[in-house]
Amino acid sequence: MFIGYARTSTADQIAGLDAQVQALNAIGCDKVFQERVSSVSERAQLDAALDYVRDGDTIVVTKLDRLARSVADFLTIDAAVKAKGASLRVLDLSLDTGSASGRLTLNLFASIAQFEREIMLERQREGIVKAKAEGKYKGRKPTARAKSETVLAMHKEGVRPVDIARQAGIGRASVYRILEAASAS
């Protein structure tokens, strides 16, 4: 039995999720688990798919990055699938972990994908350092500090910090930081 798993990181990627589900259905997946969640978040549907899979089944994904966020994550998922007597199949790589050569190749691709991600993050950090040195990188606008006057005025009126945060559209911790900074000066 083929068990499909499709995932996108955000709700904005509906077309990407639909394309994955369509591809999984096209190859004959009997059941498809799908979710819109970041790979670093809790992936309830992946857990459900891993729980659902049985001996002889194959979990199918369209791309390796839809399944795992790192080599360690992939190895954990692969071990859980193997423990159930099942295998993994990645469509865009034409790989199936049902064979020794498929497992080797998939591990190599997972390592390369993680390496590429780490290199990209390293370049991004270097770019930010360079931009800061050139005075081009300002960072995110301080949204909470921009509302300091509103926060202080509401606090003077006796509004509770939790209500100030809700009405001002900022975090409660930001309200406390603004109040603390005002009392220190």
Side-chain angles (χ1 to χ4, degrees):
M1 175 183 263
F2 287 154
I3 313 300
Y5 175 69
R7 181 190 63 79
T8 57
S9 298
T10 66
D12 297 339
Q13 299 172 326
I14 294 171
L17 186 64
D18 290 342
Q20 289 177 58
V21 171
Q22 199 171 29
L24 294 169
N25 286 329
I27 66 133
C29 285
D30 301 293
K31 185 160 180 66
V32 176
F33 293 86
Q34 56 183 300
E35 58 192 338
R36 283 184 223 124
V37 62
S38 169
S39 67
V40 296
S41 301
E42 185 73 24
R43 295 173 289 174
Q45 289 300 302
L46 176 58
D47 292 341
L50 293 172
D51 185 53
Y52 183 83
V53 71
R54 300 289 181 252
D55 187 29
D57 289 350
T58 301
I59 292 187
V60 184
V61 294
T62 57
K63 293 182 174 184
L64 187 56
D65 67 344
R66 300 298 86 203
L67 178 68
R69 60 183 148 255
S70 66
V71 174
D73 188 35
F74 167 71
L75 293 173
T76 301
I77 294 167
D78 185 47
V81 171
K82 268 196 255 180
K84 293 253 187 158
S87 64
L88 289 170
R89 182 173 171 195
V90 182
L91 297 180
D92 76 333
L93 299 175
S94 299
L95 290 175
D96 191 334
T97 63
S99 70
S101 63
R103 282 191 301 278
L104 171 66
T105 306
L106 201 52
N107 277 306
L108 287 172
F109 278 125
S111 295
I112 292 167
Q114 181 175 341
F115 173 73
E116 286 178 339
R117 172 116 177 99
E118 289 170 2
I119 292 295
M120 185 269 307
L121 290 172
E122 190 175 292
R123 285 186 192 134
Q124 181 182 28
R125 285 188 295 271
E126 289 170 356
I128 289 171
V129 168
K130 182 181 176 192
K132 282 181 179 179
E134 294 172 358
K136 295 178 182 176
Y137 184 84
K138 306 291 187 227
R140 183 175 64 87
K141 273 191 169 182
T143 54
R145 278 189 242 135
K147 298 180 181 182
S148 293
E149 290 180 23
T150 304
V151 169
L152 295 172
M154 291 174 79
H155 182 66
K156 233 180 216 180
E157 293 171 8
V159 180
R160 298 180 321 147
V162 70
D163 295 325
I164 295 172
R166 189 175 305 116
Q167 291 175 28
I170 60 176
R172 191 179 58 194
S174 295
V175 171
Y176 286 116
R177 273 193 295 276
I178 291 168
L179 294 175
E180 185 178 315
S183 68
S185 55

